[in-house]
Amino acid sequence: MKHSAITLMVLAVLAMVGCQKTGTKTISINVKVDETKLVAAGIPSPESYGVKISNFATGSVIETTTENGIATATDIIPGVYTISVSASQNQGGFTYTIAGSESNVSLIADGAEVVVNVDAVKEAALVFKEIYYTGVKDYYFRDQFYEIYNNSTEVVYADGLCIAVTIY
């Protein structure tokens, strides 16, 4: 009887110890934006960047913003991530989309620094909104049209714009 009571007490203690929650280790990282290509192109730095840290395997996404070109993210579960940085900047009447990304970044050490290189693309004012062509072989030239759309807030003239079709 004494042995079964002691055995029950030992099992109860082991069960309580075994059921205690253990915390998941999380880390913090710093994301630094490298603007070397922006400086070379003469595009001023935006005030801040949006930073997105994504883990494809777990589906977790952490979003933050930069301050002075650096973003700090906390409570990250160690793993492999994709880090994307983006911003928009206006200069000289044009809008530039600034973006960069680093894929398959192993984040396992607390306080790690990840450098993301960014580059800029000038947004176009005129874009093809719709391209339509159909018909049969001999009638391609008759059954087609192109719709051009002004994607900016400014008036854009299409003087000198030439659209050509080449047949090989």
Side-chain angles (χ1 to χ4, degrees), residues 12 29 66:
I29 64 161
T66 62

Side-chain angles (χ1 to χ4, degrees), residues 50-78:
V51 178
K52 187 175 180 181
I53 304 166
S54 308
N55 185 323
F56 181 74
T58 64
S60 67
V61 176
I62 298 169
E63 294 186 16
T64 186
T65 57
T66 62
E67 188 174 311
N68 298 323
I70 298 175
T72 301
T74 58
D75 296 331
I76 296 176
I77 298 171

Side-chain angles (χ1 to χ4, degrees), residues 25-108:
K25 180 187 174 204
T26 59
I27 60 172
S28 64
I29 64 161
N30 294 318
V31 177
K32 183 179 177 186
V33 179
D34 182 1
E35 299 175 326
T36 305
K37 292 180 181 177
L38 293 183
V39 173
I43 300 170
S45 301
E47 289 183 26
S48 66
Y49 290 91
V51 178
K52 187 175 180 181
I53 304 166
S54 308
N55 185 323
F56 181 74
T58 64
S60 67
V61 176
I62 298 169
E63 294 186 16
T64 186
T65 57
T66 62
E67 188 174 311
N68 298 323
I70 298 175
T72 301
T74 58
D75 296 331
I76 296 176
I77 298 171
V80 178
Y81 288 83
T82 297
I83 301 171
S84 303
V85 176
S86 63
S88 184
Q89 180 71 354
N90 293 321
Q91 181 195 10
F94 295 103
T95 301
Y96 292 89
T97 299
I98 304 169
S101 180
E102 290 292 326
S103 299
N104 298 323
V105 179
S106 293
L107 301 177
I108 53 175

Side-chain angles (χ1 to χ4, degrees), residues 7-18:
T7 304
L8 267 166
M9 288 174 48
V10 169
L11 288 174
V13 169
L14 288 175
M16 288 190 312
V17 171

